[in-house]
Amino acid sequence: MRWDRSHRSKDIIDQRGAGGGGLGGGGLGILSWLVSRFGLPGLLIGGAILAAGYFLSPGVSQQSAVGPADPSQPATAEDEAAHFVGFVLDDVQDTFKRVFAERGRNYAAAQLVLFSGQTQSGCGHGTAQVGPFYCPSDRRVYIDLDFYRELERRLGAPGDFAQAYVIAHEIGHHVQNLLGIHEQARKLARGGAKEGEISIRQELQADCLAGVWAHYTGQRKVLEAGDIEEGLRAAAAIGDDALQQRAEGRVRPETWTHGSSEQRVTWFKRGHTTGSIDACNTLDIPGR
């Protein structure tokens, strides 16, 4: 993947090393339940979407800039990883700004928080165990960069585009938030729809929206040979069936929250092929 190593994003908040406090009563709520059920800490991408209402809301720590304190000093591997995240974040959001503008809508940018171990979000306490997540309350994505090492070493999904897919997926949840899809999903749940099914449909839509970004990125010659394949491997690696098979040696579809490997790959491909938000309407919500 071609990216500008001199790029710095104004929407990155670097809280690494700042600490996030211990987990209080109520803490992770349904996310803790999901992690214990799957037995896979660090692998629940986007898991906070339907769980946001179960978090406490202690507030958010102050911002700090990303990058080495002294610009004259060479960047470390961690700095480069952070700058890569910032580049992808801005590229994804610039894409959706244009997509929204074409639809006569304004796109309000999300921010991305880098943290180590644990953090506090507008949705409450979060830890590296739950993997990258998006909080609708503060419109921020939260990522511990150690997750990328897990993605490569434990799940066999290496590559910079695999990492970019994760960010694009989380911004896909932000797009859902801006379009009112989260609230529509909650209404469906209150109307009797199964939360597990709704969660899966939201996650697959976020995969599709990540594919929409990939579609436009390909047009701008950012992609290199093998990039899309990296993204597809990542999508397959974090399918509920693949994660359960790895952790438990069996597959239990009734407990899924994100969809199968095949479903995740299919919806990413749909977004990549069409480049259309309308093609990603997994919840069958009119006008979305």
Side-chain angles (χ1 to χ4, degrees):
M1 182 175 173
R2 299 181 180 91
W3 66 283
D4 179 5
R5 284 169 170 76
S6 66
H7 183 86
R8 303 293 182 268
S9 173
K10 64 180 178 59
D11 289 317
I12 290 285
I13 301 171
D14 194 348
Q15 295 179 351
R16 292 173 295 172
L23 292 177
L28 291 174
I30 198 171
L31 280 182
S32 292
W33 175 78
L34 288 172
V35 172
S36 64
R37 171 175 257 190
F38 276 82
L40 283 166
L43 301 179
L44 292 174
I45 290 183
I49 294 309
L50 284 181
Y54 295 83
F55 277 94
L56 298 177
S57 299
V60 180
S61 303
Q62 295 298 310
Q63 297 185 21
S64 60
V66 63
D70 183 353
S72 67
Q73 298 299 313
T76 66
E78 282 290 297
D79 292 328
E80 180 164 306
H83 295 320
F84 173 76
V85 168
F87 173 84
V88 174
L89 173 69
D90 287 353
D91 197 77
V92 174
Q93 299 209 101
D94 286 345
T95 295
F96 283 110
K97 284 177 186 176
R98 291 191 290 272
V99 171
F100 270 49
E102 292 171 358
R103 300 165 67 92
R105 291 176 175 265
N106 292 322
Y107 178 89
Q111 293 178 308
L112 187 148
V113 177
L114 297 172
F115 71 95
S116 300
Q118 57 187 352
T119 188
Q120 293 184 12
S121 76
C123 298
H125 292 290
T127 73
Q129 284 187 319
V130 300
F133 66 93
Y134 171 72
C135 173
S137 297
D138 61 20
R139 294 185 173 184
R140 288 176 175 175
V141 173
Y142 292 81
I143 295 180
D144 184 324
L145 293 178
D146 283 345
F147 174 78
Y148 287 143
R149 285 184 277 274
E150 295 291 307
L151 188 64
E152 177 177 355
R153 296 171 185 173
R154 290 181 59 192
L155 296 182
D160 51 10
F161 194 82
Q163 298 177 11
Y165 153 75
V166 171
I167 299 168
H169 173 97
E170 297 305 334
I171 293 300
H173 287 310
H174 179 59
V175 170
Q176 292 172 326
N177 197 20
L178 295 179
L179 293 177
I181 292 172
H182 289 325
E183 183 56 35
Q184 292 289 338
R186 291 178 188 278
K187 289 180 179 178
L188 289 174
R190 288 195 294 268
K194 294 182 179 179
E195 279 197 6
E197 178 65 22
I198 294 173
S199 175
I200 289 173
R201 288 176 179 271
Q202 283 190 281
E203 296 300 331
L204 295 178
Q205 184 177 56
D207 283 331
C208 185
L209 292 170
V212 170
W213 164 72
H215 173 89
Y216 287 99
T217 301
Q219 291 182 349
R220 296 195 307 278
K221 310 299 183 184
V222 174
L223 299 185
E224 296 179 308
D227 279 347
I228 294 299
E229 288 73 19
E230 287 180 2
L232 293 174
R233 280 197 297 272
I238 57 177
D240 284 336
D241 52 343
L243 296 181
Q244 286 185 332
Q245 186 65 45
R246 178 182 293 269
E248 306 174 18
R250 58 177 179 149
V251 175
R252 295 181 293 128
E254 70 277 6
T255 66
W256 289 358
T257 59
H258 286 58
S260 69
S261 296
E262 181 180 4
Q263 287 173 318
R264 302 198 73 163
V265 167
T266 295
W267 281 98
F268 178 84
K269 283 183 175 179
R270 178 177 294 195
H272 177 239
T273 300
T274 65
S276 170
I277 288 180
D278 293 331
C280 300
N281 194 358
T282 57
L283 287 160
D284 296 323
I285 299 173
R288 301 299 181 187

